[in-house]
Amino acid sequence: MRLTQSIIPSLLLLAAGVAQAASAWGFDDGNLSIVAKKSGETIKEKLNHKAPLQKPVSLGSSDTLKLSLTAKDNGKGRRPHQAFLVLQESESGLEAPFPLTVKENGKAAAQISHKDIPVQLLVAKKPLKASVVLASFGSAQGLNAPVFEVKIETDPTVPAPAYEKPLRYGKKPEIHHIFRPDPKSPPKIVSLIFTLAVIVTLPALLVGWAILSGNLTHLSKAMGTAPLSHATFFGSILALEFVFFMYYTSWNLFQTLPVIAAVAAVTVLSGTKALGEVQNRRLAGER
Amino acid sequence: MRSLLSVLVFVLAAVVSAISTSGNRLLVILDDVAEKESYSKFLGDLESRGFQLSFENPKSESLALFRLGERSYDHILFFPTKTKGLGPNLTPNLLVDFLNAKGNILVTLSSGVAAPNSLVSLLAELDIQLPADRTGLVVDHFNYDASSAADMHDVLLLPPPTRIRPDVKDFFGAGAGQDEVLVFPRGVGASLGASELLTPILRAPRTAYSYNPKEQGEVVDDLFAAGEQLALVSAFQARNSARLTLVGSAEMLQDKCFEASEVSKADGKKVAGTFNREFAKRVSGWTFNEIGVLRVNWIEHHLEEAGATNESNPKIYRIKNDVKYTISLSEYAWNAWKPFAVPDSDALQLEFSMLSPFHRLPLTLDATHSSDTAAAYSVLFKLPDQHGIFNFKVNYKRPFLSNVEEKNTVSVRHMAHNEWPRSFVISGAWPWIAGVGVTVTGWLAFCALWMFSAPVGAKRETKKTQ
């Protein structure tokens, strides 16, 4: 039963197609109206499949777009199988078809408001291109004609519809790591001035001691009494400073420590003698 | 000697006819073995490419996709079957298991035959929606074959597919002649979900739509999908690179659609030939891992600094080291591994990441390490100034190419205390160094003064007596 049901209309259409060979689909009485819900205002435009409307119409968030037309096959009102109003986003080419409700005599109508339109088209910046597609089985030439453009007006008080692009595999934006800035030094001239100021304190100290009548006159006496101890003691103090210098420039701690131990032993051994000599001089009232 | 020779000949023959990268056992599911006559060219092409075809009826009791936990077949090809379900051996669960085991599936539908429940559920699982009631028919009143469907308009004539995006290689329509058309007779269109694993191979023309011929013969009241939303041939590639392709019209693989003489366009223009045979070859070849398969041959990274040892793939680097990373990729094309060429507006990218990427850099072709079968891509970059455990990560997932996801973990240490610049090259440290020098000299001078200074005579003694 089903099968015959499905075959009969196609057979009818087939017969019709043979009868009206090389005919073409078109429409008459094309009317476009935009009804604003709040103000009740209505904008009406006449539609023609030969020439689309010059200016885009605008569709607010609470408005309803109504389209009515009479589909004609070679001037005779008939019902086409395919009667769509297609909205197309001009940048991506994305389309949304809206089937028209068609009566036997070809009278077709459609109502579109914001909630019917997919969100991808709602967020479009440019006006959507609307075209009417009328076609059916048989040999009649179908009609696919741009008829008008519609601009989607969003209500500023209502949050814009959220649209997140679906994930697509592709290249991602490049990332280049931003390095921390290198540590900075003050201008060299400042460092140099302060270095100079530090160095100048040494002659100042020596001059100060000289004014306070510091001298080295007992050197020959000390060297005469205990030459070996004084030479080694003072030498070991110098050597210790040299060890510190080597530690600063190249040695590591494990190279440094044994050398310090050796130098320290020498310092203690020679120091007892050398400082004994200094004590003797003090006891003799010569210091 | 003779046996050795025959073994050698056998091995060579195997190499020559080696086809798919993932095996050649192909299971063909159809109702009646007699049906395969109408697909003789398509199946013959498959056999000539080295596939071993086993034909089974879905009701066959001996049919088993797995044996002892291993796949019994590498690929499955479904032709339309009249049974409502596919029996206990081909449940959607088993088919998903088959995909999980890296098996590939090619599903063909036909509007005359309702799709089996098992396949509808499998496709729904993959976010591919078929029209309600498991039946639908794609018609286009603008692009139809005037010779065989002058009234029903259900034999679509389509231009060969073009690349879906500028950065995706055109596997299916490349090299098609200007006048060649694809014949798509009495097919079912599917609507694809938003999943990134789905890619349409062939979309319907803008004026095409799908309707239910049993209930919507008079008027289309409830539209399933229309225009380019309607996918006629669609591809699914799972994360494990298993592939499933849905061909909306099994008839487009039949011998009669491979013939050019039987079609003519609605506007009476001549058709130079049908592209169906080549398209069928490419679609089946893609599904069964003969094209679009990537292989990582090797990965190498090393320190690229003057005086550094040339050690490959060290476990540890230091922050701010200059490092060179190289990856070698091959692409399988029908019967041989070829160097993989990244499409022009696409990029192979390396991420250097700890939790999130610190660097994402394009890799460039490194001709010195490339060969006839492999292309090396490399990048030289400075490691970030952050220590921790990092990954060299190449995550190259693209439509129609098998997934490449490579991760190599290295430690990045901070600067050792002796790797910083010495204090004497830092101008800001000069006053402090001078201070140390002055203190040392002053200390030595003080020691000498304390030990060897003589009193200046009476002045001091008088002070003492007082």
Side-chain angles (χ1 to χ4, degrees):
Chain A
M1 191 59 210
R2 269 259 168 98
L3 194 70
T4 52
Q5 266 182 358
S6 68
I7 282 180
I8 285 170
S10 46
L11 281 177
L12 285 175
L13 285 170
L14 196 148
V18 171
Q20 303 184 346
S23 60
W25 284 94
F27 67 82
D28 279 345
D29 312 329
N31 277 312
L32 171 71
S33 59
I34 293 191
V35 184
K37 196 178 183 184
K38 283 176 193 156
S39 54
E41 280 176 42
T42 310
I43 304 161
K44 279 196 176 161
E45 300 276 1
K46 284 263 180 236
L47 291 182
N48 186 342
H49 63 80
K50 291 195 182 86
L53 288 185
Q54 295 295 320
K55 277 185 6 188
V57 295
S58 58
L59 182 68
S61 58
S62 58
D63 299 355
T64 310
L65 185 152
K66 286 184 181 169
L67 175 83
S68 64
L69 52 85
T70 310
K72 300 235 160 143
D73 180 7
N74 254 12
K76 230 174 103 186
R78 282 216 302 129
R79 171 151 76 179
H81 192 253
Q82 180 183 24
F84 295 164
L85 173 68
V86 181
L87 295 185
Q88 185 190 38
E89 207 254 312
S90 50
E91 273 172 34
S92 63
L94 208 63
E95 290 180 324
F98 297 90
L100 307 176
T101 49
V102 200
K103 285 180 189 158
E104 285 285 355
N105 57 6
K107 283 203 186 299
Q111 279 197 13
I112 300 171
S113 61
H114 272 217
K115 67 176 191 307
D116 304 318
I117 301 176
V119 65
Q120 292 90 332
L121 300 187
L122 274 187
V123 297
K125 298 277 182 294
K126 286 186 178 170
L128 307 176
K129 287 176 187 164
S131 44
V132 166
V133 182
L134 297 176
S136 196
F137 303 105
S139 60
Q141 180 75 37
L143 171 81
N144 180 6
V147 282
F148 61 93
E149 289 193 347
V150 57
K151 175 100 184 72
I152 302 291
E153 303 283 351
T154 44
D155 191 345
T157 59
V158 179
Y163 172 61
E164 203 174 314
K165 270 197 167 179
L167 173 67
R168 287 287 172 264
Y169 287 142
K171 72 174 174 186
K172 295 178 185 166
E174 285 180 24
I175 299 174
H176 295 270
H177 181 66
I178 298 166
F179 289 84
R180 294 183 191 96
D182 283 332
K184 277 186 283 185
S185 280
K188 274 198 179 147
I189 183 73
V190 177
S191 301
L192 280 172
I193 287 169
F194 280 92
T195 309
L196 212 63
V198 169
I199 290 171
V200 161
T201 56
L202 185 65
L205 177 73
L206 296 181
V207 167
W209 283 342
I211 290 169
L212 293 170
S213 60
N215 57 69
L216 294 177
T217 37
H218 271 171
L219 179 62
S220 55
K221 196 174 181 179
M223 292 305 276
T225 326
L228 193 65
S229 333
H230 267 298
T232 5
F233 181 58
F234 198 76
S236 70
I237 295 174
L238 268 176
L240 197 61
E241 300 299 340
F242 179 71
V243 171
F244 286 144
F245 177 75
M246 289 310 288
Y247 179 52
Y248 170 63
T249 49
S250 60
W251 289 358
N252 61 35
L253 197 61
F254 301 101
Q255 290 168 305
T256 312
L257 285 175
V259 181
I260 284 185
V263 173
V266 173
T267 312
V268 171
L269 292 177
S270 60
T272 43
K273 279 276 180 65
L275 295 174
E277 189 274 339
V278 175
Q279 188 190 27
N280 286 340
R281 259 188 285 145
R282 179 162 56 79
L283 294 176
E286 291 178 344
R287 286 196 75 218
Chain B
M1 186 62 209
R2 183 180 282 178
S3 66
L4 196 72
L5 200 70
S6 62
V7 165
L8 195 70
V9 165
F10 181 75
V11 167
L12 279 178
V15 167
V16 167
S17 69
I19 31 95
S20 165
T21 52
S22 60
N24 59 354
R25 298 168 299 169
L26 173 60
L27 171 66
V28 183
I29 301 281
L30 33 67
D31 263 344
D32 190 356
V33 178
E35 272 178 45
K36 74 180 184 188
E37 289 310 310
S38 49
Y39 300 100
S40 64
K41 282 185 182 163
F42 175 60
L43 296 175
D45 283 351
L46 282 174
E47 257 170 349
S48 71
R49 291 190 337 247
F51 286 102
Q52 292 174 354
L53 274 56
S54 358
F55 296 92
E56 289 280 3
N57 188 295
K59 285 173 198 149
S60 161
E61 285 189 4
S62 61
L63 175 61
L65 296 185
F66 292 91
R67 189 179 136 69
L68 304 177
E70 289 291 319
R71 278 189 281 113
S72 322
Y73 302 98
D74 302 306
H75 320 285
I76 308 180
L77 168 54
F78 283 99
F79 282 119
T81 48
K82 291 200 173 66
T83 44
K84 200 175 175 202
L86 284 178
N89 298 323
L90 293 169
T91 60
N93 226 343
L94 278 172
L95 292 173
V96 169
D97 286 345
F98 188 78
L99 282 175
N100 283 337
K102 296 196 177 181
N104 305 308
I105 301 178
L106 177 60
V107 178
T108 60
L109 300 174
S110 177
S111 83
V113 182
N117 276 336
S118 174
L119 291 179
V120 174
S121 314
L122 172 69
L123 295 175
E125 189 78 13
L126 309 177
D127 213 0
I128 303 175
Q129 305 301 330
L130 292 183
D133 296 342
R134 306 181 292 133
T135 178
L137 176 63
V138 179
V139 290
D140 186 346
H141 303 301
F142 295 82
N143 308 293
Y144 57 90
D145 177 16
S147 59
S148 65
D151 290 307
M152 294 308 292
H153 301 177
D154 53 1
V155 178
L156 271 57
L157 292 191
L158 311 165
T162 52
R163 58 180 64 204
I164 54 161
R165 283 193 335 228
D167 58 339
V168 172
K169 196 174 158 186
D170 184 11
F171 279 105
F172 301 100
Q178 277 290 315
D179 301 329
E180 284 187 300
V181 291
L182 266 177
V183 185
F184 188 86
R186 290 170 281 278
V188 181
S191 109
L192 305 184
S195 164
E196 69 275 16
L197 306 175
L198 290 169
T199 320
I201 293 176
L202 184 65
R203 294 173 189 270
R206 287 183 51 207
T207 45
Y209 62 100
S210 172
Y211 78 105
N212 186 341
K214 283 180 190 155
E215 288 168 9
Q216 298 175 331
E218 279 290 316
V219 63
V220 185
D221 41 9
D222 186 20
L223 192 62
F224 167 67
E228 299 199 333
Q229 305 301 316
L230 205 55
L232 305 181
V233 179
S234 29
F236 167 85
Q237 180 172 262
R239 286 180 219 286
N240 66 358
S241 300
R243 291 167 174 181
L244 179 142
T245 307
L246 176 69
V247 176
S249 164
E251 273 184 70
M252 77 184 294
L253 308 176
Q254 287 182 353
D255 294 354
K256 60 180 181 190
C257 286
F258 288 4
E259 304 295 333
S261 56
E262 301 189 6
V263 292
S264 60
K265 279 189 179 175
D267 53 8
K269 268 188 198 156
K270 252 194 94 63
V271 171
T274 64
F275 192 60
N276 282 41
R277 188 167 192 164
E278 184 63 22
F279 184 74
K281 180 192 172 194
R282 292 179 187 186
V283 166
S284 57
W286 181 82
T287 315
F288 301 148
N289 281 342
E290 288 173 272
I291 48 174
V293 180
L294 295 185
R295 180 180 72 182
V296 178
N297 302 304
W298 48 263
I299 289 174
E300 200 263 356
H301 54 88
H302 65 262
L303 200 58
E304 186 90 346
E305 283 185 358
T309 57
N310 213 13
E311 188 196 356
S312 269
N313 304 337
K315 289 269 185 295
I316 188 162
Y317 288 109
R318 201 203 65 203
I319 60 168
K320 291 185 172 180
N321 268 160
D322 289 320
V323 169
K324 189 169 188 183
Y325 176 95
T326 314
I327 183 169
S328 167
L329 289 171
S330 297
E331 182 187 4
Y332 196 72
W334 297 111
N335 50 17
W337 289 100
K338 302 261 168 67
F340 171 63
V342 177
D344 283 342
S345 52
D346 194 9
L348 181 65
Q349 290 173 320
L350 170 74
E351 286 183 356
F352 193 68
S353 63
M354 175 168 67
L355 298 180
S356 59
F358 280 59
H359 275 300
R360 190 187 288 131
L361 305 166
L363 292 154
T364 49
L365 189 66
D366 185 350
T368 54
H369 293 103
S370 302
S371 67
D372 294 343
T373 56
Y377 288 86
S378 64
V379 66
L380 175 71
F381 68 104
K382 195 183 267 303
L383 298 188
D385 52 352
Q386 171 66 49
H387 62 273
I389 310 291
F390 280 85
N391 290 312
F392 289 104
K393 196 169 169 189
V394 172
N395 186 6
Y396 190 69
K397 289 179 182 150
R398 297 291 183 270
F400 304 137
L401 288 174
S402 64
N403 295 332
V404 172
E405 198 168 2
E406 291 292 336
K407 211 158 97 168
N408 298 65
T409 307
V410 290
S411 304
V412 177
R413 63 174 175 83
H414 48 63
M415 298 275 252
H417 74 282
N418 59 359
E419 285 171 330
W420 296 96
R422 295 306 306 264
S423 54
F424 47 77
V425 298
I426 301 169
S427 68
W430 290 345
W432 276 265
I433 296 173
V436 171
V438 165
T439 310
V440 167
T441 324
W443 159 247
L444 289 175
F446 171 76
C447 286
L449 192 74
W450 190 82
M451 286 194 292
F452 308 123
S453 182
V456 204
K459 208 178 179 183
R460 198 160 171 189
E461 274 178 36
T462 49
K463 268 186 187 167
K464 262 189 183 171
T465 47
Q466 278 169 356

